Amino acid sequence: MADETRISIDDTGALLGECHTIYLRRLGLDPRHPEFETDFEERPLSVINQLREYRGLLLSAIRHLQDNGVRVINPPDVLGIHSLKPWQLSRLAAAGVPVPETCSTNDPAEVRAFADRVENVIYKPIGGGGHAHHLESVDLDDDRLSRLANSPVQFQERIDGNDVRVFVVDGEVVAAARIVSDALDYRSERHDVERIGLESLDPEIERAACRAADQLGLPFTGVDVVNAADRFVVLEANPSPMFATFDELAGTNVAGELAGFLADP
C-alpha cells in the first residue's frame, strides 16, 4: 500500500467531495501587490521565497483537484497569458483574428523602424500593470531608447475607434459594452459604460471574440476590441476580466451567465 500523500490548505480537504467546479479569479501572491508592500520593503528576499512556497502549495492543490475531476475556470495554465501579450497577439493573428500591428522589443533599432513605418504609435508594458502612452519624437532619443535594456516595451499601431469589451462564456458571446472615454487609455480616468445589445453587435466581432477565446483556451474571457469606422482589431483576451462594473453600469448580466456556466456540471 502506497504511503498517503496529503495536500492541505486551512482545512479545505472537503472541497474534493463537495464541488465539481471552482472559479479561480486570480492566484495573487505577487510581491508587488499593496498587501505585501511593507514586508517587501523590509525583507524582499524572504517575501519572494515565502510567496513562492505558498504559490507552489496552492497550484499543487488546484492541480490535484483537476486530476480528480474538479473543473477550474479559468485554469492556472491560462491565467498567466495576461502577461504574455506578444504571444497572445501572434497566436490570434495566426488564427485569422485581426490585431493591430505590434512590435514587442528591447531593440532601439526595431523601435525606430517601427515608428518610421507606422504613423500613429502607442506604447505600453508587455506584462500589463501600466497605461498606454503616445509615442512622441522625444521618446526616440538615444537616452530614452537606451532604457529598453532595462525592460522591453510593446509598441503598437494606434487605432482610433470605440473601445468595446466582449464577454465570452463557454464559447458564446453573452454580453458586450462600449467604454465611453476620450482618454487614450480609459483606465486612466473615470469612464462610463454603455451596453451593446447582442442583436446589434457586429457578427464579425462576435466571431473574432469567440475565436480568440478558443485559440487561447479560455472558457471565460473578456475580449478587448477597438471598433473603428472601417475595421476592428482585437487587443487581447483577458483571462480574468472584471465584470461587476459592466453589469452595474451597463445592465449586462455577465455574473448571471458565468454563474449558470459554473453551476452546470
Side-chain angles (χ1 to χ4, degrees):
M1 181 176 180
D3 293 336
E4 179 183 4
T5 299
R6 182 173 177 80
I7 302 173
S8 176
I9 303 176
D10 292 340
D11 299 322
T12 57
L15 279 176
L16 189 57
E18 292 180 351
C19 68
H20 56 71
T21 302
I22 291 175
Y23 173 53
L24 184 59
R25 172 71 173 83
R26 66 182 177 90
L27 289 175
L29 302 177
D30 187 330
R32 297 170 299 177
H33 288 172
E35 59 263 40
F36 305 117
E37 183 175 358
T38 300
D39 287 340
F40 187 69
E41 289 179 354
E42 295 176 354
R43 46 188 185 87
L45 292 180
S46 295
V47 170
I48 290 173
N49 288 333
Q50 289 170 356
L51 295 181
R52 182 188 62 189
E53 297 301 299
Y54 273 115
R55 178 177 286 269
L57 179 61
L58 179 59
L59 287 174
S60 294
I62 292 171
R63 293 201 175 203
H64 176 65
L65 291 171
Q66 289 179 289
D67 289 345
N68 285 274
V70 176
R71 183 178 57 168
V72 179
I73 307 298
N74 283 318
D77 56 339
V78 298
L79 280 181
I81 69 171
H82 186 62
S83 60
L84 302 177
K85 299 183 190 301
W87 172 80
Q88 265 207 51
L89 290 170
S90 63
R91 174 89 173 181
L92 296 181
V97 177
V99 299
E101 189 168 357
T102 304
C103 174
S104 303
T105 185
N106 66 344
D107 184 348
E110 287 286 342
V111 178
R112 289 193 172 102
F114 186 78
D116 286 342
R117 186 173 70 256
V118 179
E119 181 177 354
N120 197 352
V121 178
I122 62 172
Y123 64 93
K124 53 190 174 181
I126 287 177
H131 295 154
H133 301 275
H134 278 293
L135 183 70
E136 308 289 351
S137 57
V138 66
D139 295 317
L140 299 174
D141 291 346
D142 289 343
D143 179 61
R144 288 279 287 170
L145 289 181
S146 68
R147 302 178 192 180
L148 289 172
N150 297 326
S151 178
V153 174
Q154 180 168 280
F155 300 86
Q156 195 167 71
E157 170 192 14
R158 166 74 190 279
I159 307 296
D160 290 317
N162 292 322
D163 290 307
V164 176
R165 168 69 63 86
V166 182
F167 291 96
V168 180
V169 176
D170 195 23
E172 295 185 2
V173 171
V174 300
R178 183 172 77 92
I179 301 164
V180 183
S181 173
D182 293 327
L184 172 64
D185 191 322
Y186 65 83
R187 298 169 300 170
S188 64
E189 62 177 33
R190 293 180 63 86
H191 54 271
D192 201 1
V193 184
E194 295 179 348
R195 178 177 172 270
I196 300 174
L198 296 186
E199 69 282 356
S200 303
L201 184 64
D202 185 338
E204 288 296 323
I205 292 179
E206 182 174 357
R207 281 191 285 271
C210 292
R211 190 179 303 125
D214 176 66
Q215 286 295 315
L216 300 175
L218 295 169
F220 171 52
T221 182
V223 180
D224 289 331
V225 176
V226 177
N227 188 19
D230 57 345
R231 60 186 288 210
F232 73 88
V233 294
V234 171
L235 299 182
E236 69 170 322
N238 194 317
S240 185
M242 292 184 286
F243 53 85
T245 300
F246 289 85
D247 283 356
E248 179 182 355
L249 297 181
T252 54
N253 185 33
V254 180
E257 296 287 350
L258 177 60
F261 172 55
L262 298 176
D264 184 356

